Amino acid sequence: MTLPKNVAELQHENVVFELECIDRMYMNLYVPQLTSAEGVAAYFRGYKGHRFASTKEAVAMSEGFRRQVFDFAERHGIPIIRFEKGMRKDDVMHKRLRKFKAPEGVVFIGIAQEKARVPRTIRKRFGEGEGTIPWIDYTTAMVNHYYFYCVDEDFGAFFIKFCSYFPYTGKLCINGHEYLNRQLARRGIEFEALDNGLLRCANPAAAQRIAEGFGEKKIERFFRKWLAALPHPYPVADRKAGYRYRLSVLQAEFSLTQIWDHPRHGREFFEEIIRENIDLGRPETVQLIFARKMRKSTVAGGRCRTRIVTEGVIPSLHVYYKNTHLKQYHKTGRRGAGLRTETTINNSYDFGVGRLLGNLPKLREIGFAANRRMLEVEKASHDCRVGAQTFEALQSPATTVEGQRASALRFGDARVQALFAVLLLLLLLCLQLEGFRNRQLRPLLAQMLGLEENNISPGRVSYELRRLRLHGLIERIEGTHRYHLTAEGLRTVVFYQRTYARVIRPGLSIIPIGSCGQDLPVIRAFHKLQSEIDAYIIQKAA
């Protein structure tokens, strides 16, 4: 008996480039002494010397900070944008970043109204019949936040935001891949970038060393540099008295990107992983991935689970442990593809680690180890490339139908597999009855192939529709430009697309050609599936 290989073994045999890198980091900015109501009271009474502990004294500070922001923008010619409801901040940044030519600086300042935890002054009564005195308590309020979207010469694009209300907490968002790309370019090392990753690099070892150098000390220096360059809510005297910002890790993403030698088989390989590893969310498996002993409360609370998510036609596998999220998906680029495994730690306390930036090395160790253990835990019953040559050899050559030449539909061809998958998707979208058009097929086919829609012309889609029609898999609805699957087309697409990775490739090595009888369980199951689909279509048409 041959034991199934784990995904780490299969990846080792077929990966040409891999990189471990911190991806996005989202950090809190806070003044430690001002995180509690007692600390705020001590600031106003003990440090500022006011008679009462009241946030009323912070009004002038807030107004001064607001003036600093607008004066800074006017002095440096920086645009100010008020974010409206539904406006995506990243889209605004990407649009303006394309026009920003300076090596570093502030691209624009955004203003958004958001919820924040802020101290408020209330009147509190002590004892019966006694008067009230001012008292500070933390609450939630909708207040303005100032977003500084910037570019750093070493760290690339990032943003830092400040709450406009005392004690002016904030957030810092940076990206490890942005840092890596900048450093590779500065060193003259040739590379090709993916969206948040690398497709290839002339010096992989150097790229990995640079990624590992993205640490807490560099981040701290970078943060202090920009804190000194931007408007600061606290005057210099307060900072000298110890009221200085510190960083804590709110969210950190640790990614492993592995690029395959044969990208056209990548999607099928990943779908094989999903099918055979849907039970990864079981507590006994989760504790292996994250190296944590499962408590009954964690298991009973549903804080260990697996989820399959499909965005458009791109599936992804998700495993959850408490507040930690491990995601795996097929990552595509114009000239290659690979597997992305990514652990996002949203609460370092899940692993008994503090949140201060100094704990980043420990969090890095946990995140990258979880990615590797995920690959070791996952199983695949066979390598998805085995049997592919035999399968492709069985495909019919180009034929002539009714005097017209019909190109072959080789199921081993990535474009044909993508086309069949889109036909199934259109069927699930209930377009079988009303039919589908060229313009409905085109964007889905482009997404399935990992291309931009404008890279597939309407003429190319018309070619695909023509050969499907000549082979009898689809037919045009009379008097329209719409098509629907024929009965033969439905059987062919469902059977071959869904069994390509699960039955045909491994089965061809053990089932002699021509010996397949009509009473096999798979044939009976297919007829039952066909009956259920026919019944569903009739029900929808009624």
Side-chain angles (χ1 to χ4, degrees), residues 38 44 75 78 108 142 212 231 278 363 365 383 388 407 413-414 502-503 518 524:
E38 292 80 4
F44 287 113
R75 188 165 61 253
I78 301 169
F108 72 94
M142 292 290 292
E212 290 170 359
I278 192 66
L363 295 177
E365 180 184 335
D383 188 339
S407 301
D413 184 86
R502 300 175 66 181
V503 176
Q518 294 298 311
R524 294 197 300 270

Side-chain angles (χ1 to χ4, degrees), residues 324-394:
T324 300
H325 173 202
L326 197 156
K327 178 170 68 172
Q328 197 174 60
Y329 58 97
H330 179 218
K331 196 167 186 66
T332 59
R334 291 186 177 182
R335 295 197 295 172
L339 185 69
R340 178 68 164 262
T341 308
E342 183 178 284
T343 296
T344 302
I345 298 177
N346 295 298
N347 187 348
S348 61
Y349 292 151
D350 288 349
F351 302 94
V353 178
R355 292 175 177 166
L356 287 177
L357 182 60
N359 292 304
L360 183 58
K362 184 62 177 178
L363 295 177
R364 180 198 293 268
E365 180 184 335
I366 293 168
F368 289 139
N371 293 338
R372 295 290 181 179
R373 282 193 292 265
M374 173 82 160
L375 297 174
E376 292 168 0
V377 167
E378 289 175 316
K379 298 291 183 181
S381 60
H382 62 282
D383 188 339
C384 296
R385 297 159 182 82
V386 173
Q389 292 181 346
T390 306
F391 181 77
E392 291 171 3
L394 293 176

Side-chain angles (χ1 to χ4, degrees), residues 11-21 177 180-181 184 189-194 196-209 211 255-263 331 335-341 372 375:
Q11 288 285 85
H12 178 73
E13 296 169 7
N14 298 287
V15 166
V16 294
F17 172 69
E18 71 174 25
L19 177 74
E20 283 184 330
C21 185
H177 284 108
L180 175 61
N181 292 351
L184 289 173
I189 300 174
E190 185 183 356
F191 69 96
E192 185 173 350
L194 279 170
N196 270 2
L198 292 184
L199 177 62
R200 62 179 183 84
C201 181
N203 191 337
Q208 188 59 62
R209 284 197 302 271
S255 69
L256 170 63
T257 306
Q258 298 171 299
I259 304 300
W260 289 311
D261 52 356
H262 297 295
K331 196 167 186 66
R335 295 197 295 172
L339 185 69
R340 178 68 164 262
T341 308
R372 295 290 181 179
L375 297 174

Side-chain angles (χ1 to χ4, degrees), residues 167-232:
Y168 316 110
T169 53
K171 300 284 191 296
L172 171 65
C173 184
I174 56 178
N175 192 300
H177 284 108
E178 285 275 341
Y179 171 82
L180 175 61
N181 292 351
R182 289 267 172 162
Q183 298 304 312
L184 289 173
R186 290 184 66 177
R187 289 163 171 77
I189 300 174
E190 185 183 356
F191 69 96
E192 185 173 350
L194 279 170
D195 176 30
N196 270 2
L198 292 184
L199 177 62
R200 62 179 183 84
C201 181
N203 191 337
Q208 188 59 62
R209 284 197 302 271
I210 294 170
E212 290 170 359
F214 183 74
E216 67 281 4
K217 293 182 180 178
K218 280 190 172 67
I219 295 172
E220 182 71 25
R221 285 197 298 268
F222 157 82
F223 170 60
R224 297 298 169 188
K225 165 189 168 181
W226 281 95
L227 202 58
L230 298 174
H232 201 296

Side-chain angles (χ1 to χ4, degrees), residues 411 420 424 427 432 472-473 485-499 504 523 526-531 533-534 537:
F411 295 120
F420 279 22
L424 282 177
L427 179 67
Q432 173 67 358
L473 302 185
L485 283 166
T486 62
E488 179 184 354
L490 182 60
R491 287 194 297 269
T492 303
V493 170
V494 170
F495 186 77
Y496 281 98
Q497 217 283 319
R498 291 308 180 196
T499 59
I504 294 178
I523 301 297
F526 173 74
H527 286 314
K528 183 178 179 181
L529 171 63
Q530 180 64 50
S531 299
I533 293 175
D534 290 342
I537 292 175

Side-chain angles (χ1 to χ4, degrees), residues 2 20 22 25 31 76 125 138 148 262 321 323 370 373 377 419 428 500 507 529:
T2 302
E20 283 184 330
I22 295 178
M25 281 191 67
V31 178
H76 296 280
R125 185 186 303 277
Y138 263 92
F148 294 86
H262 297 295
Y321 165 68
N323 301 288
R373 282 193 292 265
V377 167
L419 181 62
L428 293 174
Y500 176 70
L529 171 63

